[in-house]
Amino acid sequence: MKVKNICCIGAGYVGGPTMAVIAAKCPDIDVHVVDLNEQRIAAWNDVNLDNLPIYEPGLSDIVAQARGRNLIFSTNVDQAIQEADMIFISVNTPTKTYGIGKGMAADLKYIELCARQIARVATSNKIIVEKSTLPVRTAEALKSILSSSGNGVKFQVLSNPEFLAEGTAIQDLLQPDRVLIGGERTLEGEEAIQALHDVYNNWITTERILLTNVWSSELSKLTANAFLAQRVSSINSLSALCEATEADVDEVARAIGQDSRIGPKFLKSSVGFGGSCFQKDILNLVYLCQTYGLNEVADYWHQVIKMNDYQKRRFAQKIISTLYNTVNGKKIVLLGWAFKKDTNDTRESAAIYVADYLLSEQAEIVVYDPKVTQEQVYADLDYLNTRSEERNRSLVTVAKNYEDLFKDAHAVAVMTEWDEFKTIDWSKVYIDMLKPAFIFDGRAILDMQALEGIGFTGFAIGKG
Ligand SMILES: NC(=O)C1=CN([C@@H]2O[C@H](COP(=O)(O)OP(=O)(O)OC[C@H]3O[C@@H](n4cnc5c(N)ncnc54)[C@H](O)[C@@H]3O)[C@@H](O)[C@H]2O)C=CC1
Ligand SMILES: O=C(O)[C@H]1O[C@H](OP(=O)(O)OP(=O)(O)OC[C@H]2O[C@@H](n3ccc(=O)[nH]c3=O)[C@H](O)[C@@H]2O)[C@H](O)[C@@H](O)[C@@H]1O
């Protein structure tokens, strides 16, 4: 079967870029991306490509290439479902905030709503592709809902998890390490797998397209994120030991990373990992293990999150103890609020939690991030519900630029590894600050020796 018409439900960080790349690489396939969020769809359709709803290097070029030719963004979900022979489900799967599994399990209500809508609207056979990150065996529930419509329409459910990282999404989609497709190993299942394989094969070689069964594919996505986050927590756990023993965590990472069995990537110690998925997906994995009675396995993976929480707390405590055990009324400048550089995404960013600890000690925080808005900073703090919205606004200021940023500050802390922080004129900053002037580098990106030469009292994560 040759796919002619694709529908993607969910025009977010994954659905938008993924479909834009498919449309650009497969000009003979019509790609229809739909979402309930009218504002988001309007932004995808904006003539000014600077107004696309998400920022990713290279995205606007890809959208410009395909939009209006074979790439359509709309809110007409029913029509897109009816016309498609393949439907990607790319909706959000956040951690549940209520009921059984609260705070741990993935909330699958959006996925289920999609399945019910497809079952209600479809009048011809379709291949359903799980693009969202889902607990293992979700395809079973999807199949059960889809097959209950009773109108004779047949569905094949495939798992095709996405491995892109924010900030490098387009590069990751154009040249992925691998594409993973899981399907039923029946005749119809194999046909569906082949159809999706052929879509990707327009630009990705067969060797990089891995075929497997549905359950292995679903579980591989959670596993990949768990392994990546585990590496960060592993190196972060050792950053604490390095600080206690005068070892240097970057030197340790370099030494172990040269071992080809370990490899050099994802070994940069930090103030803690953030982003919308690592924590959510590991909690989901932990919950799954608990559900199957595998408590030791659950505890093992839960430790990755606990270590991350410890790292954020440890950094905040380091600031407090260094500032003579009180930050009450002291001005502390946080450089960076996004969860990593080159994105304006702040979901689960370590900066939010470090700020929250310091605010509970009644510090006065000034935040500067080149891409994050003031409204976003306040929204992130209000979401934690630690103190009133008024109190957050009275204790936190968001600076738009460097003007007077460091004036009379007691301390500066680097939270995000933005390149521009490396080229700040630190001698000038030193003059502006109160003395002793403290600097805390949560990403270990600054030249601490040079800073101490200027007169700063410095601390960098993982440096003894
Ligand atoms: N953000 C990332 O970098 C990555 C995310 N993922 C996974 O991909 C999935 C989607 O993530 P994001 O794109 O970040 O989420 P997102 O929140 O940016 O986008 C999801 C979109 O789905 C829409 N939606 C929800 N229910 C709908 C419905 N019934 N009909 C139509 N539209 C509906 C929402 O309005 C929203 O615009 C999640 O499962 C996530 O874990 C996987 C790899 C990378
Ligand atoms: O499922 C997802 O959502 C995605 O999650 C991550 O991508 P992302 O969260 O966008 O960004 P990463 O580059 O993985 O960084 C995550 C966090 O770890 C931190 N990190 C990363 C690497 C490192 O060495 N040290 C470190 O502290 C980053 O600063 C950031 O806060 C994965 O890398 C993607 O493969 C996956 O598809």
Side-chain angles (χ1 to χ4, degrees), residues 14 133 162-167 172 178 221 225 228 232 235-236 265-278 281 339-341 417 443:
V14 168
T133 301
E162 184 49 59
F163 297 102
L164 68 82
E166 286 179 30
D172 294 342
R178 80 310 206 178
K221 173 62 195 180
N225 274 357
L228 288 167
V232 179
I235 201 70
N236 280 345
K265 293 182 184 168
F266 252 72
L267 287 178
K268 181 68 185 154
S269 181
S270 65
V271 59
F273 61 73
S276 63
C277 291
F278 278 178
D281 292 349
F339 82 97
K340 64 192 267 196
K341 72 171 181 177
E417 73 281 23
R443 297 285 182 164

Side-chain angles (χ1 to χ4, degrees), residues 104-226:
M104 298 291 288
D107 191 342
L108 299 180
K109 73 175 170 202
Y110 305 106
I111 292 284
E112 184 171 334
L113 282 171
C114 290
R116 289 186 185 277
Q117 188 164 6
I118 295 168
R120 182 163 43 80
V121 172
T123 49
S124 59
N125 296 348
K126 300 189 190 298
I127 298 169
I128 309 299
V129 183
E130 298 175 341
K131 192 46 131 174
S132 299
T133 301
L134 298 169
V136 56
R137 294 201 81 88
T138 303
E140 202 169 40
L142 281 185
K143 244 196 133 135
S144 154
I145 294 168
L146 290 166
S147 59
S148 64
S149 70
N151 63 359
V153 174
K154 290 208 173 64
F155 298 98
Q156 275 298 320
V157 180
L158 300 178
S159 161
N160 173 223
E162 184 49 59
F163 297 102
L164 68 82
E166 286 179 30
T168 53
I170 297 303
Q171 187 59 26
D172 294 342
L173 288 164
L174 291 174
Q175 287 168 320
D177 286 345
R178 80 310 206 178
V179 164
L180 183 60
I181 303 174
E184 272 181 24
R185 307 324 290 255
T186 56
L187 188 62
E188 296 82 1
E190 298 286 355
E191 274 173 12
I193 291 174
Q194 189 63 38
L196 183 55
H197 165 279
D198 292 348
V199 171
Y200 284 114
N201 205 208
N202 280 297
W203 78 100
I204 297 162
T205 57
T206 296
E207 301 80 69
R208 285 192 187 265
I209 305 176
L210 309 184
L211 310 181
T212 182
N213 69 45
V214 186
W215 318 131
S216 307
S217 174
E218 287 178 333
L219 188 55
S220 297
K221 173 62 195 180
L222 292 184
T223 308
N225 274 357

